[in-house]
Every structure is written in C-alpha cells, then in structure tokens.
Amino acid sequence: MTRRYVLALAAVALLAVSGLAAFQAMAAAYDRTLAVVNISGRQRMLSQRIALYADSLADGECLRARAQCVAELAETVNTFRRAHHGLAYGSEVLDVPGPTSPAISALYFSGEPSLHQRVLRYIHAAEQVVEAAPDDLTPEHPAVAYILTQGPGPLLESLDQVVLQYQLDGEEAYETLRRLEIAVVTLTLLTILLEALLIFRPMVRRTQTQFDHIERMAEHLRRANETLEQRVAARTRDLADAKAEADKANLAKSKFLAAAGHDMLQPLQAAEMFAGLLAAEPLSTRGESLLAELRRTQDSLRHLVRSVLDVSKLEAGTVTPSFQPVPVRALLDGLAAEFGPQALDRDLRLNVVAPDVAVESDPILLERVLRNLIGNALRYTDAGGVVLGARLRGDRVWLQVVDSGVGMESDDLDRIWQEFVQVGTKAHDRSEGLGLGLAIVERLCRLLGHRVFVSSRVDHGSCFTVDCRRTDLPHDV
C-alpha cells in the first residue's frame, strides 16, 4: 500500500510538472510567435520605407536635407538587413529562432531566385542608392529602378506570405500545446480518481479497522487496569498488614533487647563487685593473671550490652536529641584524654588538629559517635597513630577520625554501616564486639541530621567524616 501510494504521488507530481512545462512552453511559443510576426511585419514596412527614400532621392524631392535622408535610408537598410538575417538564420539579440517550419524555410530559400536572394539584392540596391552621387542618382538608375520595381510589388507580396505563414505556424504550435495541456490535466484528474478508488478508499477502510482494533485493545487494557488496580490494592493491604506485623515484631524485639540488656547489667555488676573483692585478697601470680582476664572480659561484655541497649533505644525512637552549640576543640581534646592511655598501651600516637569552632548538635550523642569511631580506629591500627581533626567547608565543619590502620576494600565501604558486619583482616575480625559500633554511628548521625561517610585504602588506613553545620561558639568558651 505504501509503495502504491508513493507511485501515485510521483505520477501526480510528474503530471503537474508536465502541465507546468506545457503552460510555460505555450507562453514561450506565444511570445516567440508575437516577436516573429512583429519583426516580419516590420520587414514589410521597412521595404516600403526603403522604396520611398530611394524614390525621393532619385527625384530630388526629399523633404529634409539630402544628407539626412541618406543617413535615414542607411539606418533603415541596416535594420532591414539585421531583421532579415534573424528571420532567415535566427538571432539571440532579436530573440527569434529562425524558420519555425519547412514551409517558412521553403518561402525563404526555394525558387530561383529565392526570397532570400531577392532580399539580399534589394538590400544591395539600397546600399548603392546610399553610396551614389547626387548627380548620378536618377529614376533611371538601375538600383533605383530595381527598388521601385520590387519593393511595392513582388517583394511586398513575398514578405506578406512569410508573415502569414509565421502566423499559421504559431497558431498551429499554440493549438498543439493547448491540446497537450488538456491531455495532461485530463491524465492528472484520472490519476487522482484512480488514487481515490484504489488507494485512499482502501487506506480509509484499513485505518478504520485499525481504529476499531485500537478501541478494542483500549477497552481490554482498561479492564485489565481495573483488575490490576484491584490486585495492587489487595497486595498493598497485604504489605501494609505485613509491615505492621514486622513493626510490631521489631518493637517487641527492641523491648526484649532493652529488657534483656538491663537484666544482663545486674549480674555484670555483681561480677564486677566479686572481682573487686577478689582483688583485695592475696593472689598468686596465676590468680592475678586470671583476674586481669576476667576484668577484660567484663569490659568487653559491658561494651556489648551497652551497644545492644543503644540499638534498641534508637529503633524504639526513645532517643531525642537536644541541639546546642558544641565547641569542637574541647570535645576532641576531651576524647583524646579519654583514649590517650589506650593509645599509649598500644604504642600509638593520638593527636588533635582542630580550630576553635562550634557545631550545632547534641553534645552527648555527638560524643558517642566520635567515641565509637575513635575506638574502631585504635582497634584496627597496629602502627602509626590516629588523628582527631576538624576541617572548615564553608558553613559546614567536617569532624574527622583518621587512622593509619589496615584499611578496607572499596566493596566493603557500604556494608560497614549494617548491623553485625565486621570487615578487615582475619587477625582483627570479631576480635571485639558484634559489629554494632558503626551501625550505631550511622543511626545517631541520621537522628542528628549529620552526614557520615568514609574513605579507605587497604594497608593505608581509613578516614571517617561527620559533616555538621557550623555555628557560633558559646559565650562562655
């Protein structure tokens, strides 16, 4: 159908171009016929003017000065010669094509002498009249006698025949082109009719069929959409119910962890009391060693219980931050003093590099965030040290904990914020804790509106950053 449609359009376009070409040809032929008839008619007038000038000069009856009459005769002869050459051979200057048919060629060149020869002889005789001396130019002069014999009579009749034949040729050419134009218009109309019957009508039927098919599909889709919406609504209700159950279970878990954590603290405190009483007794070297291990185990257990309690409180939504200006330098110096002995025991440096600025945060919760980060940094650093720093970033302050420890793989940087996930070398995996420290950091930062992120390279250490909003220092600092 598409190919047939393209062919039909091409046929209509071709016929339209042909019609335009025929019209332009008709106009050109008409203009050319007018030009030729005008020039050939002017030849008749010019031949009579040459005869008039020749007669006047021969009788000495020229109304103007003889020199002026001779100049006008010479100009008339030149015009007559150029026009005759254009009619006989064609001329771009005069925009005439020459003889337009064999009949005109025969009128010009057939016979002995032919019209062409007679015209040339007539022109030659006129040139003799122009060049003749006044005393030699009489009515009996051969050139004057030839002009007066041929101009008003035989030459005039021959030129009239040429003019008539040009008119007949032009009318015939015009009629031929008119018939051609009528044929092109007829073919165009016939082609349009065939297009309407063979192309457009089947195309309309096919389009209508496609529209009907589309409507049926739309109705089917509408029904399917209604069914899908019902299924989605039912599924949404199921998911909402499942979420409610999950939230209820999660709340129950948080309550259980909180209760279990509090219950675990009581025997832990009792164990610490008994360990204190045991330390007051005289012990052997072996006993002192076991007591030291017992206290390290108690510290680890206390840390784990507190971590579980922190997670349960955050999940239960019972932690409410209290925002206020927190001096950064004082906060980092206090943490450095707290973790200094631990760093010294491991032969690690612990430095603070921070300007005197303040951030908007909860001082207790922010301190807990940094304490977890510092504890992790010391735990996973065997040589070198840890730097506690702060960087200004416009209206933001980046609190950073940088270590020279084991570092992490890039694939682990997103997992470390999950609960119960620990990464690092095998020597450090699960050496302490359950992998809750960074999960608590992430939840606390989310609660405080701080962004936390990390960059790390294996064997080159890690850099944990907490992005806080800068504020003015308290007046009492």
Side-chain angles (χ1 to χ4, degrees):
M1 181 66 71
T2 302
R3 182 180 300 175
R4 194 186 308 171
Y5 180 67
V6 172
L7 291 175
L9 289 179
V12 171
L14 180 61
L15 290 172
V17 172
S18 300
L20 179 62
F23 176 78
Q24 291 179 343
M26 287 177 59
Y30 183 74
D31 292 341
R32 186 167 57 250
T33 300
L34 288 179
V36 171
V37 170
N38 182 39
I39 293 175
S40 60
R42 190 173 60 179
Q43 286 293 83
R44 183 180 186 280
M45 179 194 67
L46 291 175
S47 67
Q48 295 304 302
R49 183 178 295 180
I50 290 173
L52 179 62
Y53 275 119
D55 183 44
S56 299
L57 289 172
D59 292 338
E61 296 178 355
C62 187
L63 298 179
R64 292 179 290 276
R66 186 179 186 284
Q68 185 177 355
C69 288
V70 171
E72 293 177 356
L73 175 59
E75 183 179 356
T76 303
V77 171
N78 289 332
T79 303
F80 187 75
R81 181 192 298 108
R82 288 194 301 270
H84 173 70
H85 185 274
L87 292 172
Y89 298 104
S91 172
E92 294 182 358
V93 177
L94 299 178
D95 193 22
V96 291
T100 57
S101 66
I104 294 179
S105 296
L107 288 176
Y108 270 114
F109 300 105
S110 297
E112 190 61 39
S114 64
L115 176 59
H116 175 62
Q117 294 172 340
R118 290 159 55 197
V119 170
L120 292 180
R121 184 176 177 184
Y122 192 78
I123 292 173
H124 180 67
E127 289 174 342
Q128 289 181 343
V129 172
V130 171
E131 295 173 355
D135 296 337
D136 296 336
L137 194 62
T138 63
E140 289 76 17
H141 191 282
V144 175
Y146 181 79
I147 290 174
L148 295 178
T149 302
Q150 293 293 322
L155 184 62
L156 184 62
E157 293 176 358
S158 298
L159 291 175
D160 287 342
Q161 291 179 1
V162 171
V163 173
L164 179 61
Q165 189 61 45
Y166 269 121
Q167 290 177 340
L168 294 176
D169 287 353
E171 292 175 358
E172 183 179 356
Y174 182 81
E175 185 64 25
T176 300
L177 292 174
R178 191 177 69 84
R179 288 194 296 269
L180 177 61
E181 184 180 23
I182 293 174
V184 170
V185 172
T186 303
L187 287 175
T188 302
L189 295 176
L190 181 60
T191 302
I192 294 175
L193 178 62
L194 291 176
E195 285 184 1
L197 294 176
L198 301 178
I199 297 178
F200 290 108
R201 188 168 66 177
M203 184 179 296
V204 170
R205 288 200 299 267
R206 177 176 296 182
T207 303
Q208 185 61 44
T209 302
Q210 291 176 348
F211 273 117
D212 294 340
H213 181 65
I214 291 173
E215 289 180 358
R216 290 193 297 270
M217 291 180 62
E219 179 64 20
H220 178 71
L221 289 175
R222 185 183 64 79
R223 294 177 181 176
N225 187 45
E226 291 177 354
T227 303
L228 180 61
E229 288 179 353
Q230 294 173 358
R231 292 179 179 177
V232 169
R235 184 60 176 168
T236 301
R237 288 193 298 269
D238 294 340
L239 291 175
D241 294 340
K243 183 179 183 299
E245 292 295 330
D247 291 341
K248 187 184 299 183
N250 189 52
L251 181 60
K253 181 201 71 173
S254 298
K255 291 181 178 179
F256 170 75
L257 288 176
H262 283 291
D263 291 341
M264 291 173 64
L265 284 177
Q266 293 178 0
L268 180 60
Q269 291 173 353
E272 291 178 349
M273 181 184 66
F274 292 139
L277 293 175
L278 184 60
E281 299 293 329
L283 298 174
S284 64
T285 304
R286 175 64 175 168
E288 291 179 353
S289 176
L290 292 176
L291 180 60
E293 290 294 332
L294 176 60
R295 286 184 169 174
R296 280 195 293 270
T297 302
Q298 289 172 343
D299 291 339
S300 178
L301 182 59
R302 186 184 303 106
H303 174 73
L304 294 178
V305 172
R306 287 178 178 173
S307 296
V308 170
L309 289 175
D310 287 342
V311 171
S312 64
K313 290 179 182 178
L314 290 172
E315 287 184 349
T318 60
V319 180
T320 303
S322 176
F323 290 96
Q324 62 186 57
V326 180
V328 172
R329 182 60 185 263
L331 174 64
L332 296 183
D333 285 341
L335 290 171
E338 177 183 343
F339 285 92
Q342 183 179 343
L344 186 61
D345 289 343
R346 304 193 59 182
D347 197 20
L348 298 175
R349 296 186 303 273
L350 183 59
N351 299 326
V352 175
V353 180
D356 289 329
V357 295
V359 296
E360 185 74 18
S361 186
D362 184 305
I364 297 176
L365 298 181
L366 181 59
E367 182 178 347
R368 187 177 302 177
V369 167
L370 295 176
R371 182 179 287 110
N372 283 348
L373 294 178
I374 297 169
N376 271 359
L378 292 173
R379 185 181 308 132
Y380 288 98
T381 302
D382 294 329
V386 177
V387 176
L388 311 182
R391 290 188 178 184
L392 300 181
R393 289 291 184 269
D395 63 342
R396 313 295 296 180
V397 177
W398 283 7
L399 305 181
Q400 295 182 316
V401 178
V402 184
D403 65 66
S404 58
V406 295
M408 293 176 285
E409 299 284 353
S410 58
D411 295 339
D412 294 331
L413 298 183
D414 292 330
R415 298 193 307 116
I416 60 175
W417 310 109
Q418 302 173 12
E419 296 175 0
F420 309 109
V421 172
Q422 288 181 315
V423 298
T425 63
K426 293 183 178 180
H428 291 87
D429 283 346
R430 299 198 177 277
S431 60
E432 286 189 43
L434 296 175
L436 294 176
L438 292 181
I440 294 173
V441 166
E442 191 273 336
R443 295 190 184 193
L444 285 175
C445 286
R446 194 192 320 158
L447 180 65
L448 294 170
H450 303 332
R451 186 170 64 99
V452 59
F453 54 93
V454 60
S455 61
S456 183
R457 290 176 58 193
V458 176
D459 297 330
H460 288 79
S462 304
C463 175
F464 286 84
T465 302
V466 179
D467 183 5
C468 306
R469 190 175 68 86
R470 183 178 178 180
T471 187
D472 296 330
L473 283 168
H475 296 297
D476 56 348
V477 176

